Amino acid sequence: MTDGPSGPTPSDSHAGESERRWCEERTTFQRVYDVITGTTDYATASEVAEEADCSDDGARDALAQLVEMGIAERRDGRPATYRRNDSYFRWKRVEALATNNSVADLRAKIDELVAEDERLGERFDAPGPDAVSPATFETSDHDEIHDRWDALARWRTLRRDLELFQRAAHRAERRGGDADDVASA
Amino acid sequence: MTGPPRDDDATSGDDDSTSTGELDVPTLRTVGRRAASHPLVASWEFRPTSTSPRELELRIDANGYPRDVDDVRLDVHWFTTDDYYFHYVETRGDERYQCRWDRHPKTDAPRAHFHPPPDAGTAMESPLGTHHLDVLFTVLDWISERVESLHSSD
């Protein structure tokens, strides 16, 4: 077998190729969208502009539109800062779940998540992911840390999903039983 | 319970060494869409299901590889804490060639680290940051280089 690149980053001949392509193929608005949907901490328009490879004014215009659409939120200040609007993305997932699944399917999935939640509670001997002792990571065995960290992240993801599925089930019930108008995702 | 003193506090001053996030679905969706518009990538999909995803699977177009390569994929996890794994796996029959770009708490190595090929071995330092598109683009560029080197050694 050949060696190929063994280090974590490509050598100069390819570095930046994918980003260049992204800049050529996506408009300023689309690039700002791509950046802000992955931004969970508030950032200034010029920080966004740097990541989106556009002018500060270009970023500000796009961000103003995204705020109006509910996709981004803005915090006033000097300068103003922006991040993605998490409640918008949660609402979107709840809508999709309530539209594409029957109440029975949602209930069955909730039962499945609750059972997994119990199994993780037993594994970590804790009532929830926030109550897991930091000592659980005090080992130098990398695979073991990886494994525990992974399980804990899964637990948090599961708790979040449980909440979303419960909201979706309520919504689907209020709409009057099983949704049969399955929309494409 | 208190832990042993840490000697790498210079790199973990914010004392978040045990924090874990939840899977960051909006970020993964953007990573999937941007990856799919790259010529190396054939498709993207949430696994095990799109209703309750646990990871993003990117299928790399094996047609660009020498014929003995059966399957190539990149499994991506991204968390709300900006921790991540990008796991590259190339399959030839029963043989695997793999490596992984990670960012997660670790006592004996930097938080961001790379498990080098061919078997995702002992972690080495990774210069990658926490920007989702930068990390994706760097990994895609790495894959381009990998494909090229496989062909040039054919």
Side-chain angles (χ1 to χ4, degrees):
Chain A
M1 196 169 295
T2 53
D3 290 337
S6 57
T9 52
S11 64
D12 290 346
S13 57
H14 284 276
E17 199 177 87
S18 299
E19 186 169 0
R20 239 186 345 267
R21 186 187 304 276
W22 177 63
C23 289
E24 281 166 14
E25 291 175 358
R26 303 278 289 171
T27 63
T28 297
F29 179 82
Q30 289 170 331
R31 292 200 305 278
V32 171
Y33 176 90
D34 290 344
V35 169
I36 206 73
T37 50
T39 302
T40 49
D41 294 330
Y42 281 106
T44 64
S46 43
E47 283 163 347
V48 172
E50 174 144 8
E51 299 291 1
D53 198 24
C54 66
S55 68
D56 288 10
D57 283 345
R60 248 187 300 273
D61 285 350
L63 286 164
Q65 285 184 62
L66 289 163
V67 169
E68 205 168 319
M69 294 160 80
I71 293 168
E73 53 184 328
R74 174 194 152 105
R75 189 172 62 185
D76 286 334
R78 288 164 190 272
T81 49
Y82 304 84
R83 68 176 180 189
R84 79 167 180 230
N85 180 4
D86 267 319
S87 52
Y88 166 85
F89 288 98
R90 282 168 191 249
W91 168 81
K92 245 184 98 171
R93 273 190 74 193
V94 169
E95 279 297 309
L97 288 173
T99 306
N100 301 332
N101 299 277
S102 69
V103 174
D105 287 347
L106 292 168
R107 290 283 169 213
K109 184 68 188 176
I110 288 169
D111 289 345
E112 209 179 286
L113 292 173
V114 166
E116 196 180 351
D117 188 71
E118 280 166 10
R119 283 198 298 276
L120 285 160
E122 279 164 23
R123 170 170 175 181
F124 285 104
D125 193 22
D130 290 331
V132 171
S133 163
T136 195
F137 292 99
E138 281 162 18
T139 164
S140 54
D141 185 295
H142 182 244
D143 288 343
E144 212 168 305
I145 290 180
H146 192 278
D147 200 47
R148 288 178 199 175
W149 188 87
D150 218 32
L152 199 49
R154 198 165 74 234
W155 200 2
R156 285 188 199 282
T157 303
L158 186 155
R159 284 271 165 115
R160 191 262 327 268
D161 281 2
L162 200 48
E163 189 200 316
L164 297 182
F165 273 86
Q166 275 158 349
R167 277 166 59 187
H170 290 149
R171 187 167 305 228
E173 272 161 9
R174 274 206 312 277
R175 284 180 186 166
D178 287 5
D180 48 8
D181 53 334
V182 174
S184 57
Chain B
M1 227 183 288
T2 54
R6 297 168 57 96
D7 55 9
D8 61 347
D9 275 348
T11 56
S12 61
D14 47 1
D15 193 33
D16 63 353
S17 58
T18 59
S19 71
T20 60
E22 53 191 55
L23 200 68
D24 187 337
V25 177
T27 298
L28 281 173
R29 195 178 295 277
T30 297
V31 167
R33 286 178 174 159
R34 290 299 66 78
S37 61
H38 195 285
L40 281 170
V41 180
S43 63
W44 68 279
E45 197 175 1
F46 280 131
R47 296 264 175 196
T49 64
S50 60
T51 50
S52 189
R54 297 285 165 79
E55 68 177 343
L56 169 71
E57 185 182 286
L58 302 176
R59 304 214 64 92
I60 307 298
D61 189 358
N63 291 328
Y65 283 73
R67 260 193 310 231
D68 64 328
V69 175
D70 299 319
D71 184 70
V72 191
R73 53 168 229 276
L74 184 63
D75 294 331
V76 183
H77 293 71
W78 194 282
F79 300 94
T80 49
T81 44
D82 284 342
D83 286 329
Y84 53 79
Y85 318 123
F86 279 65
H87 187 185
Y88 174 83
V89 186
E90 203 177 280
T91 312
R92 284 174 189 71
D94 296 336
E95 210 181 325
R96 288 174 136 215
Y97 175 96
Q98 56 182 322
C99 61
R100 219 174 57 223
W101 292 261
D102 286 2
R103 185 176 186 274
H104 67 91
K106 197 169 178 322
T107 52
D108 58 349
R111 191 172 181 113
H113 52 273
F114 177 65
H115 293 274
D119 53 0
T122 308
M124 59 192 272
E125 196 168 347
S126 161
L128 298 193
T130 59
H131 190 271
H132 56 300
L133 296 170
D134 285 346
V135 177
L136 172 69
F137 293 151
T138 304
V139 173
L140 290 175
D141 288 348
W142 183 95
I143 297 173
S144 295
E145 193 159 302
R146 167 70 184 157
V147 176
E148 208 167 89
S149 75
L150 279 173
H151 281 296
S152 64
S153 65
D154 245 1

